[in-house]
Amino acid sequence: MKHNIERRDFLRLGITGAFGVMLSASDLLWQIQAVKAAELPLDTPQSLSPDAALQKLIEGNQRFVLHQPQYPDQSAARLQEVAQAQHPFATILSCADSRVPAEIIFDQGIGDIFDVRIAGNIATPEALGSIEYAVTLLGSPLLLVLGHERCGAVTAAVQNEALLGDISTFVKAIKPAVTKVKNQPGNAVENAVVANVQYQIQRLKRSRLLTERVQSGKLKIVGGRYDLDTGTVSIIT
Ligand SMILES: [Zn+2]
């Protein structure tokens, strides 16, 4: 009976082969954790280069756009693999908009993306702190600031009307970007979406922790725009 329970637990983990079927689930987990701890201590950057990390995101977005997702890193085995330590290959500062969920639009899974989501993808002190944590302590090699088409937060900043409650706090953080492009031809909101990504990146680059990582080649900071109609992410900086 005991053997049956253990075997069922083992199968539930979805791991086969390497460790043999005689191991109990707890033995197996202990081994996985020991291996991971040896391979990836907390302050060691994980193995992907910044360029490879960007490529991985772009390829995932292409799969999403083509409706050919692979849903990577979503198995029970992956859950256990990252339970004790995370080393996300990308950190993404994106809008809280319900139509822009990073794991889905980049076809990634658990432990892959360190998500910082806030309306208007603005670099508040709390957002910066979260990003610095992901980059310096978790070793994330890529930081993407992602704006999107028809962003409500950017639209509010462009329209410049009185707002309820604390909504004006994020609008205020976007206004400098709106001012930069107010005389540009074209759609004011779309221009401001791109300008806001560039402006928030500028603000993030004031961080000494981030700029040191960029200078040593351990981090790349890029900006992107998400197209709500097609699902495509374009790299804009
Ligand atoms: Zn938005």
Side-chain angles (χ1 to χ4, degrees), residues 94-100 118-121 146-155 174 193:
S94 58
C95 186
D97 192 295
S98 63
R99 300 163 294 180
V100 195
I118 184 167
N121 40 274
L146 185 65
H148 68 95
E149 189 182 18
R150 298 184 208 107
C151 180
V154 172
T155 304
I174 298 170
V193 163

Side-chain angles (χ1 to χ4, degrees), residues 30-165:
W30 185 87
Q31 286 205 16
I32 291 170
Q33 286 158 15
V35 168
K36 288 297 151 196
E39 283 177 357
L40 298 167
L42 250 185
D43 57 353
T44 300
Q46 56 105 305
S47 55
L48 277 187
S49 70
D51 287 333
L54 180 58
Q55 189 58 29
K56 190 170 174 175
L57 278 188
I58 290 169
E59 286 172 7
N61 179 243
Q62 286 168 349
R63 292 196 299 272
F64 171 72
V65 170
L66 294 171
H67 308 294
Q68 294 170 350
Q70 292 173 357
Y71 307 114
D73 296 338
Q74 296 178 30
S75 64
R78 175 62 170 179
L79 193 68
Q80 297 303 329
E81 184 192 356
V82 297
Q84 298 299 323
Q86 57 168 329
H87 299 280
F89 75 86
T91 301
I92 302 183
L93 172 60
S94 58
C95 186
D97 192 295
S98 63
R99 300 163 294 180
V100 195
E103 278 78 5
I104 295 178
I105 67 172
F106 290 109
D107 190 27
Q108 300 299 326
I110 294 168
D112 289 331
I113 297 173
F114 195 94
D115 293 290
V116 183
R117 289 183 69 179
I118 184 167
N121 40 274
I122 54 174
T124 64
E126 294 82 2
L128 174 59
S130 301
I131 291 165
E132 286 179 338
Y133 171 77
V135 167
T136 59
L137 296 179
L138 305 180
S140 187
L142 179 71
L143 169 57
L144 170 65
V145 178
L146 185 65
H148 68 95
E149 189 182 18
R150 298 184 208 107
C151 180
V154 172
T155 304
V158 169
Q159 290 174 344
N160 200 25
E161 289 166 359
L163 294 157
L164 296 170

Side-chain angles (χ1 to χ4, degrees), residues 8-20:
R8 192 178 63 205
D9 285 348
F10 176 82
L11 293 172
R12 186 172 56 80
L13 286 166
I15 300 164
T16 53
F19 296 96

